[in-house]
Amino acid sequence: MLEVRGIQTFYGNIQALKSVSLSIREGEIVTLIGANGAGKSTTLMSICGVTPPRHGEILFRGQPIHRLGAEKIVTLGICQVPEGRHIFPQMSVLENLEMGAYLRQDKAAIKADVDEVFERFPILGKRRQQAGGTLSGGEQQMLAISRALLARPTLLLLDEPSLGLAPLIIKQIFEIIRKINAESNTTVFLVEQNANQALKIAHRGYVMENGAITLEDRADNLLSNEEVKKAYLGI
Amino acid sequence: MDSEYFFELLCGGLVKGSIYALIALGYTMVYGIIQLINFAHGEIYMIGAFVAFIVSGVLTLTGYGGPTVLLLAAVIAIIYAAAYGYTLEKIAYRPLRAAPRLSPLISAIGASIFLTNYVQLAQTPDFLPFPELITDFDFMEPFSRYVSSVDLVILVVTTLTMIALTVLIKYTRVGKAMRATQQDAVMARLVGINVDRVISATFIIGSALAAIAGVLIASRTGQINSAIGFMAGIKAFTAAVLGGIGNIPGAVLGGLVLGIAETLGAGYISSAYEDVFAFGLLVLILVLRPAGLLGKAVKQKV
Ligand SMILES: Nc1ncnc2c1ncn2[C@@H]1O[C@H](COP(=O)(O)OP(=O)(O)OP(=O)(O)O)[C@@H](O)[C@H]1O
Ligand SMILES: [Mg+2]
């Protein structure tokens, strides 16, 4: 479904991605783990066209997308829940959700999807008129994921959805991700520091160090890999 | 203290302030989206007034009545100013989007100087008499001491314009895209908003508002020249900062506060110091409330 081939991404003169290649197949949950500053977020932003790669190529369903620009890439069904959630702070919860459906025209279906979100997360329904910036971290993460789902993505990119959340909420979030993948057949690319949990729900995983992929395997193999255990699982 | 005199000044200040507010909206909207002080915004206002002057001059010859001429002149002025604003962004600011912040600022000052001189050369540096297109309404006779008929038109038009702008920003697709871009430009792109188009729309809307202000103020003062954009621009910028730059209700509040303060200061102390009151007020607010009157209300959680 997605094919990343040797991309190199720069911030000015700083090279954040040296040569990243990876592939994601339809229906999978693939996780990308790595230390702070490894280049995980940059990889997602490169796929989404926010920081386009200087070299290399990205193919989505066989078509090159790395020159398209962010707003075009979204139309293909590639959506990201960025690190830090990026809720529109002065917009209400409802407006935030509606922004997720910005490119859709089917008003009735959007309304139905919003209602579904409020069913899944009653707390968001209760706060629908409240400014997004005033929600708690966990509520914001639920809102951020729901907003991305309102675009009806076929490929959902999640950047550290468990960041800064309490263990109970983290469990909930991972369960939601698993459900999204299983029930609506959404392919998931999950960036995580929480390697243990991520590898438990993922089919495959990549390990990233200093802007390059150093390891790739099935998730269960990575979970029992000695190096991974030492570096990322804290065992 | 003579309360009638006070009320007279207050009304005058309100009229002046609502014009400042219209121009200030353009500054604040652009700043909110791309954090740029568009120093050429005052010139867009001046161009609006000039286009209205030329159009009304031609139309008056054809024998149309004052209100029709004014309306047509305003519409054409809005279209012209919007086109200028749109082009200005494309030429002077867009190529510098990734440059250090000082570069577009210098470009803005350059654009401002260019437009002033362009109009001065293409038209004239002299003051031109703007035709009296708004004739006195009979029903305004008893209140004419406080509010002239022109003033009434100004107040009504600015109020309606601001209501329209509020509706546009709150409920329309482009308005929502503008708010989203202002609050989080990266996320705006991730939901599929074309940020370039939003920026263009912001310049178009801001310039249209400035053109409306230009037509209104020209009808009131009865004369225009190529340099009127400078002072109006600085005053409106002051109003925008006063209210909290980037904040839309703040621009309206800042405009009104500035207009009233200026008029009261001029009326009670000395009209020679009108500008001193305006800028003195700015300094005072910036010392006491650096973010402006309405500053930023909700902070983003990290
Ligand atoms: N806007 C930026 N400007 C300059 N350098 C940046 C920028 N964003 C990221 N970098 C650099 O690029 C490298 C990769 O950053 P990135 O955010 O992709 O890492 P990450 O793996 O997501 O880290 P974390 O786990 O902390 O989120 C880092 O060295 C970082 O300093
Ligand atoms: Mg990151």
Side-chain angles (χ1 to χ4, degrees), chain A residues 41 83 159-160:
Chain A
S41 299
E83 186 177 358
D159 197 346
E160 304 204 31

Side-chain angles (χ1 to χ4, degrees), chain A residues 45 48-50 70-71 74 80 82 85-91 95 98-100 102-105 131 133-136 140 147, chain B residues 170 173-177 179-195 198 296-302:
Chain A
M45 287 300 180
C48 287
V50 174
E71 56 279 345
V74 190
Q80 187 187 163
R85 306 180 276 266
H86 286 258
I87 296 303
F88 296 115
Q90 278 114 290
M91 285 187 166
E95 283 178 321
E98 285 167 355
M99 288 320 292
Y102 181 75
L103 293 173
R104 288 172 58 185
Q105 309 287 338
T134 63
L135 296 184
S136 79
Q140 286 195 356
R147 179 178 58 190
Chain B
K170 190 105 186 69
R173 190 174 152 84
V174 63
K176 285 180 186 176
R179 279 191 290 148
T181 306
Q182 178 186 358
Q183 292 174 30
D184 193 325
V186 168
M187 195 60 226
R189 298 186 65 193
L190 287 176
V191 298
I193 292 169
N194 186 331
V195 171
V198 168
K296 276 253 152 69
V298 190
K299 284 254 149 55
Q300 176 155 27
K301 277 214 178 80
V302 195

